[in-house]
Amino acid sequence: MRRVVTGHDESGRSVVVSDGSIPRSREFTSLPGWVSRLPWATEPGEGIDRAGEDSTCEVTSLLPAPGGTRFIVLTFPPEAAMADPAFDPVAFDREQRADSPGLAELIEPDGMHATPTVDYAIVLQGEIVLELDDGHCTRLSAGDIVVQNGTRHAWRNRSGRPVTMAFVLVGAERDH
């Protein structure tokens, strides 16, 4: 994946300040096909950086504080990969916690989780199922958009092929 970042030069003109790969990207060894990318992040109250300075490598939590944002792109392998006898859930959990601090700790063993965020999600490629608390499942395919309002949910890739999704997490206050 290529990331292009714009900013401004000394005279205030718009310029491309960065054009290349996503600096914070990880292909998991514990679950081949799982790829996590953090193309950009902002902290609460942070203004628009006129020079396009990149602080994504310094992010210590993938869970943004209220008013902060995280732009995450995930590739999910087919769910069957987790049923493979070679799959080590302990190693995967360890890798998740190293890659996604703040967020990984909220993920239950079955994948269900809830975050104090409003998430804008779009399926870029493939098909995936959104499962909610009551077991209700909604099938999604490329181009479909989900607005996730802090509800408990899980993503299930039952398609047999990888699926890639983009998420923008906006930190929010819990109302209950």
Side-chain angles (χ1 to χ4, degrees):
M1 247 179 209
R2 177 180 171 200
R3 182 190 73 167
V4 177
V5 179
T6 64
H8 297 87
D9 65 15
E10 312 77 47
S11 62
R13 293 180 51 129
S14 57
V15 295
V16 170
V17 295
S18 173
D19 184 346
S21 61
I22 298 170
R24 189 162 170 168
S25 183
R26 171 185 233 148
E27 293 186 29
F28 281 42
T29 57
S30 60
L31 184 58
W34 184 281
V35 182
S36 173
R37 305 165 193 89
L38 180 66
W40 202 255
T42 63
E43 298 305 329
E46 185 177 304
I48 296 174
D49 188 329
R50 308 290 284 169
E53 293 296 321
D54 185 359
S55 61
T56 55
C57 290
E58 286 82 44
V59 167
T60 58
S61 176
L62 282 195
L63 190 64
T69 67
R70 299 294 184 265
F71 179 23
I72 301 168
V73 180
L74 290 177
T75 299
F76 301 84
E79 199 170 64
M82 292 181 174
D84 186 311
F87 174 66
D88 181 349
V90 174
F92 179 67
D93 180 65
R94 191 170 36 248
E95 211 166 357
Q96 276 278 58
R97 288 172 186 267
D99 180 73
S100 307
L103 184 59
E105 295 82 358
L106 301 176
I107 300 174
E108 300 164 30
D110 66 353
M112 296 293 283
H113 61 285
T115 57
T117 58
V118 174
D119 304 346
Y120 305 121
I122 183 168
V123 180
L124 300 175
Q125 174 186 347
E127 292 183 353
I128 197 158
V129 172
L130 169 63
E131 181 180 339
L132 298 180
D133 242 350
D134 62 0
H136 179 79
C137 292
T138 301
R139 191 171 133 302
L140 304 161
S141 56
D144 289 344
I145 294 170
V146 176
V147 177
Q148 184 70 27
N149 286 303
T151 55
R152 188 168 171 269
H153 67 285
W155 300 102
R156 310 283 187 210
N157 180 0
R158 298 175 178 149
S159 72
R161 292 186 308 246
V163 62
T164 300
M165 294 185 69
F167 301 87
V168 175
L169 283 63
V170 180
E173 298 285 345
R174 284 219 184 263
D175 61 350
H176 50 69

